[in-house]
Amino acid sequence: RGLMDSDAVLASVWSLVRSFDQPQRYKPFVSRCVVRGGDLEIGSVREVNVKTGLPATTSTERLEQLDDDEHILSVKFVGGDHRLRNYSSIITVHPQSIDGRPGTLVIESFVVDVPDGNTKDETCYFVEAVIKCNLTSLAEVSERLAVQSPTSPLEQ
């Protein structure tokens, strides 16, 4: 089984997180994504199609921050048929040793208005459940990429 150093592990996870134009690489609820204008830069807007099963079909999202040095991605929802008004999130990726092996700590924080007819607890429970699914999938996809990486030196 291949081992990667901490920089390679961080780079692998960050490559997935930073892909504003391809959130479906690890976000299981995204079926399709198109970035308006094509170029990926601060202020870029993506149109996301959501898979059935969630109380939405589309989301329009703007890239607020993308820092490849500090590994920070920030996104704000600016439209769509969901009920998450004024939603914005910040994802940060940090090197972290896990059981003595190189790993990453991914933190996603968010702010959102509580929709009419819902409580703060219900809203947070829903958003946190989606984030948890995304982060679980991120771990699985990045581990799969790490195993497939041809540059990983083999453990002796």
Side-chain angles (χ1 to χ4, degrees):
R1 184 180 150 149
L3 285 179
M4 298 172 76
D5 65 22
S6 56
D7 290 344
V9 172
L10 185 68
S12 174
V13 174
W14 177 243
S15 73
L16 291 166
V17 170
R18 79 174 305 281
S19 58
F20 178 79
D21 55 336
Q22 294 182 301
Q24 67 272 29
R25 287 178 68 193
Y26 78 92
K27 293 188 173 187
F29 300 114
V30 175
S31 59
R32 185 167 173 267
C33 174
V34 177
V35 175
R36 288 191 207 152
D39 285 340
L40 194 59
E41 57 194 11
I42 303 305
S44 290
V45 173
R46 68 184 178 193
E47 299 287 346
V48 173
N49 290 67
V50 180
K51 290 182 180 171
T52 56
L54 285 181
T57 59
T58 62
S59 184
T60 305
E61 304 170 2
R62 185 174 62 226
L63 181 61
E64 300 285 297
Q65 184 179 7
L66 179 63
D67 188 326
D68 285 317
D69 295 324
E70 298 295 324
H71 304 108
I72 301 168
L73 173 80
S74 178
V75 175
K76 182 172 181 64
F77 289 13
V78 293
D81 65 358
H82 52 75
R83 301 183 68 219
L84 299 176
R85 297 291 162 246
N86 294 314
Y87 179 91
S88 62
S89 73
I90 296 178
I91 304 175
T92 56
V93 182
H94 312 268
Q96 173 99 8
S97 179
I98 302 166
D99 298 328
R101 300 205 336 260
T104 55
L105 173 66
V106 180
I107 300 171
E108 182 164 357
S109 54
F110 67 92
V111 291
V112 65
D113 292 347
V114 177
D116 290 340
N118 289 94
T119 66
K120 179 183 171 189
D121 284 351
E122 288 168 339
T123 305
C124 288
Y125 179 82
F126 171 73
V127 173
E128 287 166 2
V130 172
I131 288 174
K132 186 176 182 191
C133 282
N134 288 342
L135 294 180
T136 299
S137 175
L138 175 62
E140 290 166 356
V141 173
S142 59
E143 284 168 14
R144 208 160 46 240
L145 286 176
V147 168
Q148 293 168 353
S149 172
T151 57
S152 305
L154 292 177
E155 190 175 358
Q156 299 297 322

